[in-house]
Amino acid sequence: MSQPSTLSVEPELARAGRIRLATVLLWGQGLYYFVTGVWPLVSISTFEMITGPKTEDWLVQTVGALIVVIAITLLTAAWKRRSPPEVVLLAVGSAGALTAVDVVFVARGMIPPIYLLDAAAEVVLIAAWAWALFRGSHGGLTA
């Protein structure tokens, strides 16, 4: 009597691991973006205590609102345990854009160095997505 083969199960388990990793990334990035996006909308004064005074509060709040929209999109995908390419592109693209803004404008002296903490968080997100995509290169990230 032959033993049941685990070969057919292993790809399924590997795929499940990729889905779980993508879901964890979507939850993490979505929650981080939600908190950081809502913050200037709820309390611009405490936001400015940490990040420095701004001349255009409406612009800070507009960016915050857009980050909340990104967060809700990522959290919706996480809730559904789905990571289609367009959601992954939004996650990675947003992290890349926010990293660039943080680094460029800190280098120009237009925003304080505290923004480099956000840049570091964004780089960690990009690296995590790169890892997830690398691991999923043979089967994709979607359920």
Side-chain angles (χ1 to χ4, degrees):
M1 179 182 256
S2 66
Q3 289 186 311
S5 171
T6 59
L7 292 178
S8 63
V9 175
E10 288 175 12
E12 202 170 300
L13 291 175
R15 186 166 186 253
R18 287 190 303 273
I19 293 166
R20 280 192 296 270
L21 179 56
T23 301
V24 167
L25 286 171
L26 289 167
W27 278 116
Q29 188 171 357
L31 290 170
Y32 176 64
Y33 280 19
F34 188 81
V35 169
T36 58
V38 165
W39 186 12
L41 301 174
V42 172
S43 178
I44 192 72
S45 61
T46 61
F47 183 81
E48 289 181 338
M49 278 194 309
I50 301 299
T51 63
K54 310 290 185 277
T55 57
E56 304 284 349
D57 286 348
W58 70 270
L59 185 56
V60 173
Q61 292 173 323
T62 299
V63 171
L66 291 171
I67 291 172
V68 169
V69 171
I70 295 167
I72 291 169
T73 302
L74 301 180
L75 292 170
T76 300
W79 179 264
K80 292 181 174 187
R81 293 188 174 134
R82 305 278 302 160
S83 54
E86 55 272 18
V87 172
V88 174
L89 177 61
L90 179 64
V92 176
S94 298
L98 292 169
T99 300
V101 166
D102 290 340
V103 171
V104 166
F105 290 107
V106 166
R108 291 182 182 173
M110 299 176 77
I111 58 176
I114 190 76
Y115 280 91
L116 294 178
L117 290 177
D118 178 66
E122 303 295 349
V123 168
V124 167
L125 288 168
I126 292 167
W129 278 111
W131 173 251
L133 291 168
F134 174 76
R135 286 186 60 205
S137 64
H138 298 293
L141 290 170
T142 58

